[in-house]
Amino acid sequence: MLRITLKQLQAFDAIARLGSVSNAAQSLSLSQSTISMSLKELEDRLASPLFYREGRRLVLSGFGREILPKARDILDKVQSIENLGHSSEKTLSGEIRASVSTTIANYIVPANTGNFLKIAPDAQFNLRVGNTEQVITDLRRFQSDIGLIEGICNDSQIISQPWRKDNLVIIANPDHPLCKKTNITFDDLLAQNWALREPGSGTRDTFEKAMRQYGGQTFTLSLAIELAHTEALKRIIQVNYFLGCISEFAVQREIERGDLVVLSTPFLNLERTLYLLTRAGQTLSPLMETFRNFCLTQSVDDRAV
């Protein structure tokens, strides 16, 4: 006879995702005492603690990290069975838990979500925004089911599929001295002050890779500022003599208005691929599978617009 219940697994999963009994209770619309009891029953069944306390937050124990993927897989499969029961209604409803990197969140997701909701008007998006490393971490911790990133993912627990193409550009304000130069060199770039995205972002990784490919592993930049927000980065470059490197579709309006200028640097390979991520072995609900396929129908050769 099975002694572990779905209610116990749901409580375990919610605490792992949200970090506390109170947050888990709110997420599942249950009382804190019910969540605490379910967790205690599960730990008693398994004869091992699943969490330890770190300040006010509950953090997975080693054993908890080991069984979380199995628990989540069971819950996913049960959800799939429930969804099959409603398949005759031809409706796609439920929550889409996705983590997306910053540039994608600002400039691609608004149109994508709007277009998808025309197909599945009863879907609800729960979006988390961070840099590429944070998106990968969200998937590993089961805080999201799909990720959209600008960088490379080498995690063996994550499936990475090419999604679409994008180009980065070197930008400056119109009064920057390099805007008057017709043939910009690599040494010219090294001589400038820079404002860049933070380490761990896909944009920063692509830029540094391009610089290393052309100038070798030991190039040195004068870095004036690092920022995790593209909009703030653009504003800083507009009012200072800094160079920056961001996605071309993030600066379309500023270029059209003349607020920023794209410098010609054909010696740098700043093209990159954006990727869609899922966990290896994950069973997606019909809604999540439909959303994944919707994203992938945008050819890898299409530019982000």
Side-chain angles (χ1 to χ4, degrees):
M1 178 182 296
L2 294 177
R3 301 170 62 196
I4 294 176
T5 68
L6 290 177
K7 184 171 72 172
Q8 293 165 3
L9 295 180
Q10 284 180 311
F12 170 51
D13 170 62
I15 296 171
R17 285 189 290 109
L18 302 172
S20 72
V21 170
S22 59
N23 289 340
Q26 184 176 6
S27 172
L28 296 175
S29 299
L30 296 171
S31 68
Q32 293 187 38
S33 60
T34 299
I35 296 295
S36 296
M37 180 62 69
S38 294
L39 176 61
K40 183 179 185 304
E41 290 172 349
L42 182 58
E43 290 181 325
D44 289 345
R45 295 283 187 270
L46 298 172
S48 182
L50 298 173
F51 297 93
Y52 64 88
R53 186 167 292 279
E54 190 175 272
R56 294 185 176 182
R57 186 173 179 83
L58 291 176
V59 179
L60 283 166
S61 66
F63 182 63
R65 287 194 300 272
E66 181 180 349
I67 72 165
L68 179 60
K70 298 178 176 62
R72 185 63 188 174
D73 187 53
I74 291 170
L75 293 173
D76 285 344
K77 285 181 168 60
V78 172
Q79 183 65 60
S80 296
I81 292 172
E82 288 189 351
N83 290 333
L84 287 174
H86 299 289
S87 61
S88 61
E89 301 173 10
K90 302 298 182 183
T91 60
L92 290 170
S93 62
E95 184 180 52
I96 296 175
R97 299 191 309 152
S99 286
V100 297
S101 56
T102 307
T103 299
I104 294 172
N106 286 333
Y107 306 104
I108 301 179
V109 162
N112 267 27
T113 54
N115 290 333
F116 183 75
L117 288 172
K118 296 175 183 177
I119 300 171
D122 294 325
Q124 295 179 325
F125 281 91
N126 182 348
L127 299 178
R128 298 169 64 91
V129 180
N131 63 32
T132 291
E133 288 185 357
Q134 291 165 338
V135 171
I136 294 170
T137 298
D138 282 350
L139 263 74
R140 285 178 55 87
R141 292 180 176 175
F142 292 82
Q143 293 174 316
S144 296
D145 297 313
I146 281 182
L148 298 171
I149 63 170
E150 306 151 38
I152 300 295
C153 175
N154 296 314
D155 193 311
S156 61
Q157 298 182 38
I158 303 294
I159 297 173
S160 179
Q161 296 175 276
W163 175 34
R164 60 199 307 174
K165 293 289 188 181
D166 178 33
N167 272 331
L168 302 184
V169 289
I170 306 297
I171 57 172
N173 81 47
D175 295 324
H176 194 287
L178 285 188
C179 293
K180 302 178 178 65
K181 189 167 183 179
T182 54
N183 294 308
I184 297 172
T185 67
F186 187 76
D187 287 338
D188 289 330
L189 299 183
L190 295 182
Q192 308 305 313
N193 292 320
W194 287 79
L196 296 172
R197 284 289 307 277
E198 80 287 2
S201 71
T203 298
R204 179 71 171 266
D205 289 345
T206 300
F207 169 71
E208 291 185 344
K209 179 182 177 181
M211 294 289 282
R212 285 193 299 269
Q213 284 178 340
Y214 186 85
Q217 297 294 323
T218 58
F219 78 92
T220 302
L221 287 181
S222 175
L223 184 58
I225 190 167
E226 293 178 339
L227 276 174
H229 300 286
T230 302
E231 290 297 318
L233 196 63
K234 289 190 294 184
R235 179 59 182 158
I236 285 175
I237 294 169
Q238 286 178 32
V239 299
N240 290 282
Y241 289 119
F242 300 150
L243 298 188
C245 181
I246 59 178
S247 171
E248 64 179 351
F249 60 91
V251 291
Q252 288 177 352
R253 285 179 295 180
E254 288 79 8
I255 300 303
E256 291 171 358
R257 293 196 303 255
D259 296 333
L260 290 170
V261 174
V262 173
L263 301 182
S264 177
T265 57
F267 48 87
L268 293 180
N269 178 15
L270 293 172
E271 183 180 79
R272 64 179 177 177
T273 300
L274 309 182
Y275 292 91
L276 184 148
L277 309 181
T278 52
R279 286 188 298 276
Q282 177 182 10
T283 301
L284 294 176
S285 69
L287 175 64
M288 294 296 296
E289 183 70 22
T290 301
F291 179 65
R292 183 185 73 88
N293 292 336
F294 171 81
C295 291
L296 292 176
T297 55
Q298 301 165 86
S299 168
V300 72
D301 293 323
D302 289 345
R303 298 286 170 187
V305 293

